[in-house]
Every structure is written in structure tokens, then in C-alpha cells.
Amino acid sequence: MKAPSFAYAKPATLAEVFDLLERHGDGAKLLAGGQSLIPSLNMRLSSPGVLVDITGVTGLAGIKVDGDTVRIGALTTHAEIERSPEISRHLPLLAQAVKQVAHVAIRNVGTFGGSVALADPAAEYPACCVALDATFVLASRNGERRVPARQFFKGIYATELRPGEVLVAGELKATGAGYRSAFLELARRVGDYAIVGVAAHAKVGGGKLADVRLAFLGAGDRAMLAANAAAAVDGKAYGPDVVKAAQDALAKDLAPPADLYHSSATKLHLARVLTGRALAALAA
Amino acid sequence: MEHTIQTTMTLNGVAVTRPIPARQHLVDFLREEMGLTGSHVGCEHGVCGACTLRVDGRIVRGCLMLAVQANGRKVDTIEGLSDSGELADLQRAFHEHNALQCGFCTPGMLMAAQDLVASRPQATRDEIRDHLSGNYCRCTGYHAIVDAVEEVLISRRGARK
Amino acid sequence: MNARAELPLHAPGTQVDKGYIGQSVPRPQAKRLLQGRGAFTDDLRFPRLAHVVFFRSPHAHAKIKRLELTKAAKSPGVIGVFDGRAVAEYCSPWIGVLAHLKGIKSPPQYAIAIDRACWQGEAVAAVVAETRAQAEDALQLIEADWEPLPAVIDMDEALEGKRVIHPDLGDNICFKRELDTGGVDEAFAKADVVVEETYRFGRHTGVCLEGRAILADYNAAEHTLTVYHATQAPHMMQDIFSRHLNIPEGNVRVIAKDVGGSYGIKVHVYADEMATAALSVMLRRPVKFVADRLESFVSDIHAREHKVKVRLACTRQGEILAFDLWDLTAIGPYSVYPRTSGIEGNQVVNLTGGPYKHKQYRARMQVVFTNKNVCCQYRAVGHPIAVALTEGIVDLAAAKLGMDPAEFRRKNLIPDDAYPYTFASGIKFEKLSHHRTLGRLLELMEYQQLRAEQASLRKKGVHRGIGLAAMIEVTNPSPAFYGVGGARISAQDGATIRLDPTGMITVLCSVTEQGQGAEGVFAQIAASAVGVTIEKVRVITGDTGVTPYGGGTWASRGAGIGGEAVLQAGRALRSNILDIAAVILNLDKAELDIVGNEVVSKLTLESKLPLVELGRVAYFRPDTLPPKFQSELTVTRHYTPREYGFTFTNGIQASYVEVDPDTGFVKLLKHWCVEDCGTVINPMLVDEQIRGGVVQGIGAALFEECLYDAEGQLLNGNMADYLVPMAAEMPDIVCAHIETPTKQSELGAKGAGEAGTAGAPGAVMNAINDALSPFGARVTSQPFTPEKILQALGKV
């Protein structure tokens, strides 16, 4: 399984990256951590003419807290997120989720931006970003634009990224007082892609859950925000009836595609189970 | 057309410069060009862990890194870490517990085990299993590997006291 | 010369010192592997080494209408591109049948398919190039026109035979067998309780971490072929390369270097490996092939695709009266050579019900061809199926009677004093220890406490299950397995042992090493037999040019058969050494012994002559010895079991699980195995073989299946989608031993390599069903995925 031949460039600035993307068009692929791209090359699933290695571009890594915004540079590795005190303190949902990403050796190299830009429906960060209503910063020759996560993911491996654009950062609102997070996923083995997972976030107080967000991974062609299930719980006193209402309402939010081992019905069932467990974790 | 890039890396402590095809992954480069056949190829899609190496002090999948991406970086293989003695206590524990049979997963497993022992000195058996969860072994069933790593953790903790 | 050693191993009256036998000595051979300094076949470098890759059929069944190879041939670095006809000029086809499997049939198979591809992944062309990458580049330039043919995928459709894969054969039945003791219908008619269940077993595969690897090096000047081959059976391959490539046997040398796991996968003849050897002959240079992971999934043998209906009849006191089974199993489009793909089904017939003392048994079994990958023997061959069926239906009967499963087994296990015993299927047991092992298991796992814990946790909504699986296992086979059918597969092995001048011992043995510790075990036996310390022993295996002729490793025969040859050779060498010592020292041989690298006085243990000195004299100063005296410091002995066709062992396993009834997930809490494999030479190595085997069985029970769609496309042929057991999900595995040595050898060792895999799936299935019993739910289709458990619970 040897990759096909390709050229390789490692620009030092974003301007050079844009040049290369313009010059090569579809024939260029961006290489960040490579943990998803390189397997696909080894399996000859794609045949780019040139790999543009952006890991040499300065300013794209690092976690910065500015007021109540946490900016995660696209080249921040999963391991850096896992180790980050800022993420622990301000984005506990992400801190929980990152532990589920693959294995240590992959986390040391794979990046936040790479995972978001790949948009695998079973990936952890897209669901977290959708739950937290994050914003992605996309840069091009023409400048920067910001796209909400809830609009960014369009389908399997499909995003808002236009040709010539590079995802440079994610901006997330620091978790406020009274808010709690729970990230739960079901996988046959530690580190596998989730069968189904949920990124849950809500304001908890007085036995009630408010501003509830439930974003599912592995339950659609992209991270799915379960608005009906959240509405069933929002502002209500936490209890078994309310949980059941949310689980029932989930059928309006999710029509999960079957995978190799699980039918659509099984996935929906598991999503319901995770809903119950996530709500319990939030309310605990 | 083969595109080669002049690449310099520090390999087991020694500076090495070679023109490397852009498409060649790091473990293939080490095996084919440098004769360091201790790192193994098991799947070439990053799942089995047989190719686990250390780059800039962190464990990585050698099959998921282009060799040209090791430019300017420090690469450590099983041969280097054996000669330096860094893995000696793990190797001895593995030997005494028969935590290897065919040996194909062993270099990668030792890399991952060393990463654990160095970064999580208080790890429990479950945490050992978790940290090694990305390294496939078909021969041992993992129990002896966990025993060996646990013994090293205990002895390193004792040595620190 | 085949004179037996003149002296007993120890003088009468002295304390028997077993030396290293029974000790958990770490394997000397592991040291190089720990440093990444082993030598696997893909590590070898040769001048002019070429690499071959294969153009593989994307269709399950198709005529090859046109193969356009010229563009590929012009690709950079390419040495040549070849189709099936070109390779057939150098390699003759084979047929995977044996005479003792009556009626077995299979069409001829070529090294590279000609005119028709019969499974997705079958090689239809070969590209040889300077590098693997260049060969793969060229592959993409091959153009092929196919005429897809109807593919036979489903086993029932294959049996029905509306579409026959090989019209010349008339139907899709490769092999069928029926066995009937008589009296079965009567037993069922008079039984108080009859239980019936149908079990399904998903096809799965070995997933050796080292891909299949072969490097063939033909020397045109000498008409010799040296093959570096990751194989379990080098002599068998020597014979096969010789016959099919038309090279005299003595001109073929097969060398197995370090092998990265095998488990039966690497004991078979693969078309692409034969093609590799043929290409080396054709091109007159070394050619290497290593199966990468994607091609491994579509070309390494698969195994264990069965659907079995079982019925059990018993009295209301719980006495089993009869078993009745119908097994349908699906293989690929060819019976694999030379061991045939009929053996696994045959074993299901032989072994089902094996631990129990009922007399009535009927079995019908059919092996059908399909257009999926080829299938053949994989670790524990047939046993995982037979044990799961037996132990599953036994648990069902026990449940129906409201009887504790351990108690039900105790009532029915063959008594420990009933041997020798002939089982209902005709297989003969020398001596087993079912009751002792059951007792030890229940004690080890604290069975009653676990039952109490289970009961109290159930009240809290935590659902745990305990599953038992009693088993018998085939080891140390005689020619009854293959030889009697005409296969040139040796059931005997030999060991040459030599004292070198500095007092070191070199052992050459025809049994091979794939990590299980054969070389370590032989070092222990040799050191014990001769009287040296273990670091003085070197063991060489896996080279037909160097070792005696033998069978290699399979069917758990290495320690029992190879070990006995080493023991006998060692004893003979000891005797020869003492002959020399006697003349050097001018003492009576009967007064001498060898202990700790020295010739000593047997009575006082006083050192008389170090072996290093004896070696110097024997090799360099024979002029100082009596005129007619000749030293003989190299001895060879061979051994094959003669009394029993198969040396059966017995064991019993238990699994303790927790099932989450909301998600269907199974957590493995713990696993136990009590095994009787006779004399245990190295307890640590046996335990580790069992543990590895158990986890492989767990893989089959919970995770592993080669998933095919209706068109015969393999859907999950990569490591992300095909799930193998990893460390986080596996339990600790407790092992214990009972030792009932076989009397067929002095060593008394039976085999142990496959026992773990034989019993684990049955134990795990029974544990899951035990956990589900309050819900009235049962699962019978492996692997037991969360979805299947949720379906059984009625949740989806």
C-alpha cells in the first residue's frame, strides 16, 4: 500500500499557501497532521499532484483565551488540547471529547483544524463545535471570514470551505458560570470511531436544565444538533418523564444511516440511551 | 515522476541527510534506506501500531508521517533506544513475563509502554490497557504485557522514593 | 543407528532432577526481538531483489475477457508483467483433495488465475518491478475487461446448487460426511427433555501482524531455489516447490526466518506465493512478495463460516442421551492445498459432544463452495465451533431442567478413571481429566461466590453472566490427519544435537518457531537431557538445508513431538559424552553423570572433567584416546506418536461478563482456563499460549467477521472496519494446569497451542446468555455484536 507519487511543498506563510492552492487547484491537498490524509494516500484513494504541508506556517497553532473567547489555532494538536489548562478550565466539553480521539500516537500529530476540515460525521470536534455554537475562521487571499459551526458542516466530508480557503482557527465561547458539559460516545473499542456519540451542554440550576444543546456524532451525514430533543428538556425540571420526552423527540431530529454493524434503528436506540445518560451527567 | 526532497533529520542521535521521495512514509524510509528494520509495517493505515516511533520525543505512527516531514526533527527508533539503555527495564520485564511471542508488535509496543511509564507514573492496570489500546498484539492476549508494564511502573516508583 | 541410550536419565536411587523441565525460563530467542533486531522475511536484503504485486479481481466471479498489460510493462522500474498462462509454464496447478476424505472434490487451482476469477481478490496478473511502489504504480495501468458471472455467496444457495460454480463438478459440494452410531432416533424418542438450537459462526481470519511474506531466490547456474518463507512447514513447502516448479527436492531449500505470527494462516499453499517462486525461476533473480494489509484481508485464508443445527436429548435427571447435528459450512471456490478445506467441518463431526459420555450420536455435515475468499485451517480448526455448539446446547438443557450448569456437566463428563475411552464419534482418548479440571476451575474462579455476587447485583439491575466451556483438543497428530490421505506432510520430527568444542550444545530441530517458544522449550529439554546449563544451548529451526526432516508446527504438535525428538537425541548425546569421559578418565561409565556443564561422579557429584575440556580432547586430541575409539558428539533422533492417531487433551474455561441491556455492550470481567496438556515443560509459555488463544477466541465471539455483500464484495477488509481485540477490552486471564502425561513419549507432553481459542467463544457465548437469562433472551450468532444482543432483548 504505497502512496502514488506527488510533489511536496512546505510554505512558510499563508500567502504562499494561497499561491500554491491557486496554481494547482484540485491537484493540491493541504497536509496538516496527516492522520487521515496519509492513510487515504497509502490506500490510493486519492492522487493529489502536490501536498501543501502547512505545518510550517507560523501563527496557526496555539490556544489563546481572549475575554470569554477561546481561540484554537487550526494546527493545535489533539495532545496539546488534551494537556491544555485553558481547555480544561474554559471548554470542559472539549477536554472530555479529546480523550476519545483515536490513540496517543495519533493525538500527538493530528490537529484540531484537520479534524474539523475533514468533517467526518463520526468525529468528536464537529459535534462539540456544533453544540457550543463555535465559529470557524477561514482565511483566503481575500482575507478572513467567519462561519458558524452550525453552518460549516454540509455533509459527509463536505464543508463550507471554498477552493483557495484555509481553516485557520476555531473560536469558542468559554463555558459560563452554571453551565455543565458531558461528552459521551459508544465505541466497540477504545479509540475507534464512535458508533454514536453526544456532546451535551446546558445551564444547570434549581433542578432544571436550560439552554440545552445536544449534538450527535455518528447519527447523520454530519454532526446533528438535536433541537427537538433539547426543546423537550429545556427549562423543565430534570426527571425521568422529561428524559423520556427528549428520547422520544429524538426521532424527529435523527434518521441515522446504518453502518456496517448497526442498523438505523439500533443507532437511534443508542442515541436515545446516550441522551438519557448525558442528561443524567449534566444534572448530577 | 518521483519527487525527492533533500531531508535532514537526527536519527538515533546522528544527523542524517538524504534525498527522500515525498511519498515515502517514515517507517519505509527507515527500513529501506537506513537499514533500521526494527520498526515494522503492519497495516499502513495507522491502526495497528507496529510502526510506532518517537519523533521529537513523542510517539507517532511511522506509517502516517512522510519521511520528508521528519526534516529538522529528532527521530528515535527501537534500535537507538535499545542501545541507549532507555528501554532496558521494560525490555527485561517483557522478557521475564514473556510479554512478547512473535515479536512483530514488540518494538511499537515498547515505544508506547515507555511513553506511558514516562508520562503516567501512577497508571493503574486499566490505564495501562488504555494507553496501549492502539497497539495490536495477536499473540499474547495482552495480559503479560500489562503485567510487565505494571512491574516497571512499580519499580520506577520505588526507585524514586 | 537408532540405538537407545544405555543409561536411564538418572541412576536408580538418586533424586530425579527434571532439570529445566517444568520451569518458567524466559526465552533466549526473545532478546533480539525486544531490540528490534530480529530478522523477519521482509527485513532481508538481496542484490537484484525484485518486488511483485498482484492485479486482483474486483469481481467475486467473472470471466477475464481481456487483460491489457503492455502499458503497465512500460511503467518506470517494471521488469515484467505476467498473466496466468505465463506463470503456468513454470508452475503446475494443484488440487486440494486427500484420499481419506471420501468424496472430496475441488477443481485444479493455478498460481495465477487463467480465464476466470472466482473470488474478489484472486490474483489474475503479476507485476514485477524494482520497488514495491513502482510495481503498485504499474498496477494502475493494467486494463481488464470482465464478464461478470453469477456469484454464489449464500451458503444455503450454494447447497441448493441452482448456480454451480464449477459445472464440471456437478454441484457446489466440496465434501460431505455423515456419521451415525445408530439408536439416535430412539434416544430422542425416549428422552424426557429435548433441546434444539441453531448456531451461526461468522467467517473470520487470522490477521497476523506480519503479512504473508516470501522471498524466492532461484540460482539459474545451479538450478537451485532458496525460498525465505514465513511458513510453519518448511519441509512441506520444499516438497511442494519441488514438485510444482519441477526442481529436484534436494535443490530446494526453504528457510523460515522470524515469523510474525501465524496461527495456521501461514501453513497453507497460497497461489500468489507459488507465483512469486515461479517468477524467480522465470526471471532468474530474487523476487519478494509481502501481502499488505488490504490484500491480506482478501487473500489470507478465512475460516469458520458455519451454520449448525444441534439437538440434545437427556433424561430429567440430566443425563445426556444423544447429540444430533447438521453442519453447513461455506468455503471459497477452491479447497486449499494440500491440507484441504474439508478438515474443519470434519473436525466438527469428530469433536462435538467430546467431553461427554453419551453413546448415541448422529452428524451430517456439508462443505460448500462459494465465490468468497478461500478457507482453510486456522488455529483450533473446528474446535471453536464444536465446543460452542456442545457447551451452548448443554447450557440450554441445564436451564430447561433448572440445573446448575456446572452440576449438569459434572453429571455427564467422562469419568477420570474411564480410560482408555472411545468416544461416540470414534475418536480415542488415552487419558483425560475432565473432573479434576472442572473441580480446579470452580475452585479457582470461586464459582459459588460469583453466583452469589451475580444474584445480588441482578437485584440492582447489573447483569452479569458466568459461562463455562468444557473441551477436548486434538494435539500431536499422527499421519492420521494428513499422511493417510496421500499428503506429503510429515507427522514425525527430528532433532540433531551436537556438543561443540567449547562445551556448548547446538540443537537443530524440524519443528518451527513463530513466537510460541518452541526454540525455548527445546533448549530447556536439551539442557536437561544432556546436563548443561541453559545458556550453553543454541537452537536452530526452520531451515530444510540444516535441520532433520519433519512436519513443522501445526495442530499443537511442536512441544510434544519435536520435544520428544530433542529429549531422545539429548539422552543419546549424554551417553556418547560419557563414553568419551569414561575413556579419558579411565573410569566406569556407570559411575559418571553430567551436571552443570561438567562430567561428575554420580555418587559424590564431585567434578571430574568440564565439558569444555572433553570437547577439546575429543575434537582436537583424539590421538590421546584408545586406538579403536571414535567419538560421536552429534546425534539425531526422530519421533512420531505411534499408539494414538491424535493425542487428545482436555480443559475447561470460564468467562465472567457484564452485559449492558441498554446498549448491548459486553464487558469482559475475567476469564479462566484450566488445561491438562500433560507434562508442562515451561508453565509461563503454556500460559501465554493459552492467553493468546483465548483472546483470539474472544475476537471471534465478540468482534471479528469478514462481512460480504450479496455480490461477494468484502465490505470491511481493513483494520479500522474489521475489529480485532485490543488491550483495553480484554480481561485478565487466569490459567492453571493439571498434568496427565501421555505414555506415548518419555517427555509426556501433549499440545497446548490451540486450547485457548477452542474454548473461549463457547465460554463467552454461555456467559452472555447467562447474563441475558432473566430477560428470556438468547444469542446464538457469532460475533455477538451489540445489535444482536439488543435484538434478542427486543429493543430494536
Side-chain angles (χ1 to χ4, degrees):
Chain A
M1 285 157 62
K2 306 304 174 194
S5 195
F6 47 78
Y8 170 89
K10 191 173 178 184
T13 65
L14 270 179
E16 290 168 58
V17 175
F18 299 140
D19 280 340
L20 285 160
L21 289 177
E22 188 175 296
R23 193 177 336 141
H24 297 279
D26 278 344
K29 270 198 141 58
L30 293 177
L31 173 64
Q35 304 300 279
S36 299
L37 177 60
I38 295 178
S40 79
L41 293 172
N42 291 344
M43 292 197 253
R44 295 197 180 226
L45 294 173
S46 62
S47 215
V50 58
L51 285 198
V52 179
D53 185 340
I54 58 171
T55 61
V57 176
T58 47
L60 295 186
I63 299 159
K64 204 157 149 331
V65 181
D66 195 352
D68 70 350
T69 299
V70 181
R71 181 183 165 105
I72 303 176
L75 292 181
T76 310
T77 64
H78 306 300
E80 285 162 350
I81 289 175
E82 198 176 357
R83 287 195 296 268
S84 159
E86 285 85 12
I87 299 287
S88 252
R89 190 176 325 126
H90 299 295
L91 293 172
L93 183 64
L94 224 56
Q96 288 176 56
V98 70
K99 291 186 180 24
Q100 311 283 353
V101 174
H103 302 285
V104 175
I106 307 268
R107 293 201 290 274
N108 281 336
V109 182
T111 64
F112 173 81
S115 173
V116 168
L118 178 66
D120 188 311
E124 286 81 3
Y125 295 150
C128 292
C129 290
V130 162
L132 296 177
D133 204 7
T135 303
F136 298 127
V137 182
L138 313 181
S140 72
R141 205 191 279 295
N142 307 323
E144 280 186 358
R145 66 184 180 113
R146 280 168 167 69
V147 177
R150 291 178 184 181
Q151 284 165 26
F152 181 79
F153 301 104
K154 297 240 151 321
I156 301 177
Y157 307 136
T159 69
E160 253 291 310
L161 277 164
R162 296 178 190 142
E165 269 187 329
V166 177
L167 172 71
V168 294
E171 288 170 344
L172 295 89
K173 191 151 161 294
T175 298
Y179 277 84
R180 305 191 61 182
S181 306
F183 185 91
L184 297 159
E185 94 176 26
L186 286 171
R188 298 297 314 280
R189 306 172 304 177
V190 164
D192 283 353
Y193 271 111
I195 303 168
V196 147
V198 65
H201 189 75
K203 192 169 166 110
V204 185
K208 291 192 181 154
L209 300 173
D211 193 14
V212 177
R213 303 95 175 285
L214 299 166
F216 286 85
L217 46 141
D221 67 351
R222 69 196 88 170
M224 306 293 293
L225 191 64
N228 290 288
V233 191
D234 208 306
K236 304 204 173 55
Y238 172 80
D241 290 341
V242 159
V243 170
K244 179 145 192 327
Q247 290 170 323
D248 289 342
L250 208 53
K252 294 195 209 118
D253 292 316
L254 304 177
D259 66 26
L260 276 175
Y261 298 101
H262 311 91
S263 68
S264 182
T266 296
K267 286 228 188 186
L268 183 59
H269 169 84
L270 293 174
R272 289 192 162 122
V273 171
L274 283 185
T275 299
R277 293 182 182 182
L279 292 173
L282 291 176
Chain B
M1 204 206 114
E2 203 72 70
H3 301 267
T4 61
I5 315 274
Q6 194 76 344
T7 305
T8 301
M9 65 184 79
T10 305
L11 179 53
N12 293 328
V14 175
V16 160
T17 300
R18 292 283 189 284
I20 304 179
R23 62 162 152 175
Q24 187 173 51
H25 56 63
L26 182 57
V27 69
D28 265 357
F29 168 71
L30 294 170
R31 290 178 55 79
E32 303 297 323
E33 303 308 321
M34 303 308 302
L36 291 165
T37 56
S39 307
H40 299 139
V41 173
C43 76
E44 290 181 295
H45 45 289
V47 182
C48 75
C51 64
T52 306
L53 300 164
R54 212 154 74 180
V55 174
D56 285 346
R58 302 212 182 274
I59 53 169
V60 303
R61 302 282 206 230
C63 72
L64 295 191
M65 180 173 280
L66 302 178
V68 298
Q69 287 184 290
N71 189 50
R73 301 171 83 169
K74 190 167 165 298
V75 178
D76 293 310
T77 72
I78 183 74
E79 292 91 342
L81 297 185
S82 296
D83 287 345
S84 73
E86 188 182 326
L87 296 177
D89 57 351
L90 273 170
Q91 286 165 323
R92 186 172 45 246
F94 268 53
H95 193 206
E96 285 165 9
H97 288 271
N98 207 57
L100 70 153
Q101 293 183 27
C102 79
F104 205 78
C105 77
T106 305
M109 192 71 75
L110 283 168
M111 288 283 180
Q114 172 63 355
D115 187 73
L116 169 81
V117 171
S119 63
R120 292 164 80 175
Q122 304 297 327
T124 61
R125 279 182 83 84
D126 278 347
E127 284 167 337
I128 295 171
R129 285 181 179 276
D130 198 270
H131 205 89
L132 300 181
S133 63
N135 287 76
Y136 174 49
C137 174
R138 191 52 140 176
C139 294
T140 66
Y142 307 105
H143 185 145
I145 295 174
V146 177
D147 284 349
V149 175
E150 187 180 41
E151 181 184 291
V152 170
L153 280 167
I154 290 170
S155 108
R156 285 197 192 184
R157 288 201 288 263
R160 262 197 303 278
K161 285 205 189 104
Chain C
M1 272 216 356
N2 199 18
R4 292 248 162 250
E6 289 152 14
L7 297 172
L9 196 55
H10 303 281
T14 58
Q15 184 156 24
V16 172
D17 174 4
K18 297 207 293 188
Y20 294 96
I21 295 177
Q23 284 189 33
S24 291
V25 180
R27 300 156 48 214
Q29 297 72 25
K31 286 193 181 149
R32 65 173 181 271
L33 300 171
L34 282 161
Q35 295 200 2
R37 291 184 156 119
F40 296 89
T41 301
D42 190 39
D43 298 341
L44 307 174
R45 298 286 170 267
F46 281 73
R48 301 184 70 226
L49 178 63
H51 299 256
V52 60
V53 304
F54 294 94
F55 182 69
R56 295 182 182 276
S57 169
H59 298 286
H61 198 194
K63 282 207 188 108
I64 308 164
K65 286 185 37 211
R66 182 182 74 101
L67 266 183
E68 214 325 296
L69 305 177
T70 51
K71 287 202 194 82
K74 296 197 190 105
S75 190
V78 170
I79 295 158
V81 188
F82 308 96
D83 66 7
R85 286 197 171 77
V87 175
E89 288 178 33
Y90 288 82
C91 183
S92 60
W94 54 83
I95 304 181
V97 295
L98 288 173
H100 66 312
L101 298 176
K102 301 262 172 289
I104 189 170
K105 59 189 194 274
S106 185
Q109 185 182 6
Y110 287 79
I112 293 186
I114 296 174
D115 287 342
R116 178 175 70 132
C118 292
W119 84 86
Q120 180 220 10
E122 186 175 16
V124 304
V127 177
V128 184
E130 308 275 352
T131 69
R132 171 102 194 187
Q134 287 171 322
E136 291 192 22
D137 291 341
L139 262 189
Q140 300 196 288
L141 300 174
I142 293 180
E143 287 165 20
D145 287 341
W146 303 92
E147 182 190 310
L149 298 168
V152 178
I153 305 301
D154 174 78
M155 56 164 60
D156 292 301
E157 284 174 26
L159 182 66
E160 200 187 6
K162 280 215 185 83
R163 292 194 293 229
V164 177
I165 297 174
H166 308 295
D168 289 350
L169 297 184
D171 59 30
N172 293 317
I173 300 175
C174 168
F175 176 58
K176 61 183 181 200
R177 183 171 164 212
E178 287 183 24
L179 182 152
D180 193 337
T181 58
V184 173
D185 290 327
E186 291 81 349
F188 274 90
K190 77 170 190 229
D192 298 317
V193 171
V194 171
V195 283
E196 173 182 317
E197 200 149 49
T198 297
Y199 299 93
R200 300 189 89 106
F201 300 84
R203 165 189 274 252
H204 53 283
T205 185
V207 199
C208 311
L209 192 53
E210 178 207 32
R212 291 184 295 110
I214 180 169
L215 194 163
D217 185 9
Y218 177 69
N219 187 319
E222 299 179 326
H223 191 46
T224 57
L225 179 69
T226 305
V227 187
Y228 298 86
H229 195 184
T231 178
Q232 294 172 217
H235 286 99
M236 181 193 86
M237 291 312 304
Q238 177 192 35
D239 168 73
I240 284 169
F241 289 132
S242 166
R243 284 188 292 113
H244 289 280
L245 299 175
N246 202 20
I247 299 173
E249 184 183 56
N251 288 16
V252 178
R253 182 173 178 182
V254 179
I255 300 172
K257 307 287 293 179
D258 289 324
V259 176
S262 186
Y263 335 107
I265 303 301
K266 294 170 180 166
V267 80
H268 304 293
V269 167
Y270 287 90
D272 49 24
E273 294 177 7
M274 295 300 291
T276 304
L279 288 165
S280 177
V281 177
M282 185 202 295
L283 297 172
R284 300 151 81 99
R285 64 195 286 178
V287 179
K288 176 165 81 170
F289 169 62
V290 179
D292 69 33
R293 188 52 57 193
L294 296 186
E295 66 189 325
S296 283
F297 275 110
V298 294
S299 63
D300 288 1
I301 55 113
H302 292 178
R304 311 224 226 281
E305 183 181 342
H306 289 250
K307 179 176 68 161
V308 196
K309 181 164 124 171
V310 193
R311 296 192 310 147
L312 181 155
C314 66
T315 66
R316 73 173 57 86
Q317 289 78 30
E319 188 200 332
I320 299 173
L321 300 174
F323 272 78
D324 181 16
L325 74 82
W326 175 41
D327 176 19
L328 180 60
T329 171
I331 58 171
Y334 299 101
S335 171
V336 173
Y337 184 66
R339 293 170 195 255
T340 86
S341 305
I343 296 284
E344 183 179 284
N346 203 41
Q347 287 295 75
V348 174
V349 173
N350 285 335
L351 304 168
T352 299
Y356 303 113
K357 56 188 162 110
H358 56 285
K359 295 294 181 200
Q360 263 57 54
Y361 177 44
R362 179 169 57 211
R364 278 166 302 147
M365 187 276 299
Q366 290 121 333
V367 182
V368 291
F369 295 117
T370 65
N371 291 112
K372 295 180 282 198
N373 189 13
V374 293
C375 293
C376 211
Q377 279 73 301
Y378 166 44
R379 193 177 198 173
V381 189
H383 294 68
I385 317 286
V387 173
L389 303 176
T390 302
E391 297 301 284
I393 201 80
V394 155
D395 259 21
L396 192 58
K400 201 150 180 197
L401 287 171
M403 204 185 255
D404 174 81
E407 195 43 43
F408 187 94
R409 283 170 176 80
R410 202 196 306 276
K411 274 197 136 79
N412 288 286
L413 288 169
I414 298 166
D416 288 355
D417 61 0
Y419 298 95
Y421 184 94
T422 300
F423 173 66
S425 72
I427 56 183
K428 294 177 169 27
F429 304 137
E430 178 191 0
K431 190 161 162 58
L432 304 177
S433 59
H434 287 294
H435 288 265
R436 271 179 79 198
T437 52
L438 173 62
R440 183 80 185 98
L441 174 76
L442 297 178
E443 176 186 87
L444 202 58
M445 65 190 286
E446 297 180 312
Y447 183 73
Q448 299 302 342
Q449 280 99 301
L450 280 184
R451 282 287 178 210
E453 180 178 271
Q454 175 187 41
S456 88
L457 284 172
R458 258 178 187 151
K459 295 196 189 104
K460 298 189 191 140
V462 174
H463 294 277
R464 293 193 175 173
I466 300 165
L468 302 175
M471 62 198 186
I472 53 168
E473 197 208 318
V474 165
T475 77
N476 298 355
S478 73
F481 226 153
Y482 297 114
V484 299
R488 295 177 73 86
I489 291 170
S490 191
Q492 59 80 52
D493 277 279
T496 300
I497 187 166
R498 182 181 73 223
L499 179 76
D500 290 328
T502 60
M504 294 188 72
I505 304 286
T506 300
V507 179
L508 316 171
C509 187
S510 51
V511 167
T512 53
E513 170 77 66
Q514 296 86 39
Q516 69 276 48
E519 291 182 358
V521 157
F522 298 155
Q524 287 175 251
I525 295 169
S528 307
V530 177
V532 301
T533 52
I534 197 159
E535 80 286 354
K536 297 285 188 194
V537 183
R538 291 289 168 272
V539 180
I540 297 175
T541 63
D543 186 339
T544 63
V546 165
T547 70
Y549 194 97
T553 294
W554 42 276
S556 303
R557 64 194 296 282
I561 296 179
E564 180 68 10
V566 172
L567 178 66
Q568 294 303 328
R571 289 161 54 106
L573 179 64
R574 180 200 196 97
S575 174
N576 289 7
I577 291 171
L578 291 177
D579 284 337
I580 300 168
V583 301
I584 293 175
L585 296 168
N586 206 12
L587 289 172
D588 194 335
K589 181 182 180 179
E591 294 172 47
L592 299 172
D593 202 351
I594 306 175
V595 176
N597 310 313
E598 319 230 315
V599 178
V600 303
S601 155
K602 189 178 287 174
L603 245 86
T604 68
L605 295 181
E606 177 207 341
S607 173
K608 295 286 187 193
L609 182 68
L611 288 180
V612 63
E613 174 60 13
L614 186 145
R616 184 190 72 79
V617 172
Y619 282 111
F620 305 123
R621 296 307 310 274
D623 57 299
T624 63
L625 301 176
K628 292 248 180 348
F629 189 86
Q630 295 285 356
S631 300
E632 184 53 78
L633 288 171
T634 302
V635 179
T636 299
R637 290 290 182 270
H638 289 257
Y639 171 74
T640 186
R642 292 308 312 274
E643 212 188 320
Y644 284 87
F646 307 95
T647 302
F648 279 90
T649 64
N650 65 279
I652 184 158
Q653 295 189 26
S655 167
Y656 189 39
V657 307
E658 189 172 303
V659 178
D660 182 335
D662 290 326
T663 61
F665 273 54
V666 176
K667 188 164 150 69
L668 300 165
L669 299 172
K670 207 153 177 190
H671 202 99
W672 298 261
C673 180
V674 178
E675 177 69 11
D676 185 345
C677 57
T679 303
V680 175
I681 302 155
N682 185 323
M684 178 169 70
L685 297 190
V686 174
D687 284 357
E688 291 312 309
Q689 275 289 282
I690 288 174
R691 286 179 171 153
V694 163
V695 168
Q696 235 167 338
I698 288 173
L702 293 181
F703 294 105
E704 300 184 45
E705 184 170 8
C706 300
L707 293 169
Y708 277 90
D709 70 11
E711 276 77 54
Q713 299 288 303
L714 182 64
L715 297 172
N716 63 340
N718 63 74
M719 298 291 290
D721 294 326
Y722 181 99
L723 306 177
V724 292
M726 306 296 276
E729 289 73 39
M730 290 303 108
D732 280 349
I733 300 160
V734 179
C735 300
H737 301 282
I738 305 285
E739 291 188 41
T740 307
T742 171
K743 294 203 160 74
Q744 295 177 93
S745 69
E746 289 192 52
L747 192 56
K750 302 175 183 172
E754 296 167 278
T757 309
V764 171
M765 177 175 75
N766 283 347
I768 294 172
N769 283 331
D770 187 49
L772 295 177
S773 59
F775 302 96
R778 272 182 81 77
V779 287
T780 53
S781 167
Q782 285 184 37
F784 305 115
T785 59
E787 176 160 283
K788 288 182 187 171
I789 290 171
L790 290 173
Q791 282 167 343
L793 288 167
K795 303 224 167 160
V796 293

